[in-house]
Amino acid sequence: MEIKRPGLGLPPLDRARAPQETGKPQTDFAAQRRAQAENSAPVPEPSGILPGVAARFTKADLRDPDSLETVLHSAIQELLLRDARPLSDHQRAVLGDWMQNDPLIRRQLERYLEKILP
């Protein structure tokens, strides 16, 4: 009877050997990040994600409880209309109601709207 040893069957590591250098030149991480930021495409404005909501509402609307519900409903409907999956009107309404009543989604959406609304 053959007893298999634990592991993948690879030879054990020789801890006495010194680690080998990879030959990669040492570079400044911050300099690399700056170069990437300069060469990358400009970041679009946040209001471009929900342009209909950003055009119709302001931050003052978020402070009024009745207006807040309207803003949240409009934002969720705009998000659901942008979804590529085909949803019926009933499915969209059920999903929108759930998103508007879920405390985590609601809080995140309120924070996002605080950032993008003028």
Side-chain angles (χ1 to χ4, degrees), residues 105-116:
I105 294 174
R106 184 181 180 96
R107 188 175 336 135
Q108 291 296 325
L109 191 54
E110 286 176 16
R111 286 180 187 164
Y112 176 71
L113 290 170
E114 274 288 330
K115 290 179 184 178
I116 68 163

Side-chain angles (χ1 to χ4, degrees), residues 27-59:
T27 58
D28 182 22
F29 181 73
Q32 287 178 342
R33 296 296 293 167
R34 281 191 299 271
Q36 287 177 350
E38 291 171 359
N39 294 336
S40 66
V43 177
E45 287 191 30
S47 62
I49 294 174
L50 294 173
V53 174
R56 291 178 36 209
F57 301 103
T58 63
K59 285 184 183 179

Side-chain angles (χ1 to χ4, degrees), residues 50-58 61 70-71 73-75 77-78 117-118:
L50 294 173
V53 174
R56 291 178 36 209
F57 301 103
T58 63
D61 295 323
T70 306
V71 173
H73 181 74
S74 298
Q77 291 306 314
E78 189 169 338
L117 291 180

Side-chain angles (χ1 to χ4, degrees), residues 3 10 15 25 34 45 47 83 85 95 99 101 103 113:
I3 299 175
L10 299 174
R15 297 190 189 277
R34 281 191 299 271
E45 287 191 30
S47 62
D83 192 5
R85 293 170 284 194
L95 184 58
M99 289 174 72
N101 293 323
L113 290 170

Side-chain angles (χ1 to χ4, degrees), residues 60-101:
D61 295 323
L62 298 177
R63 293 181 192 91
D64 179 35
D66 294 332
S67 297
L68 175 63
E69 295 302 319
T70 306
V71 173
L72 288 174
H73 181 74
S74 298
I76 290 171
Q77 291 306 314
E78 189 169 338
L79 285 172
L80 291 176
L81 288 174
R82 293 176 58 132
D83 192 5
R85 293 170 284 194
L87 295 174
S88 69
D89 291 336
H90 175 69
Q91 291 172 329
R92 192 175 296 116
V94 169
L95 184 58
D97 288 341
W98 173 78
M99 289 174 72
Q100 190 166 353
N101 293 323

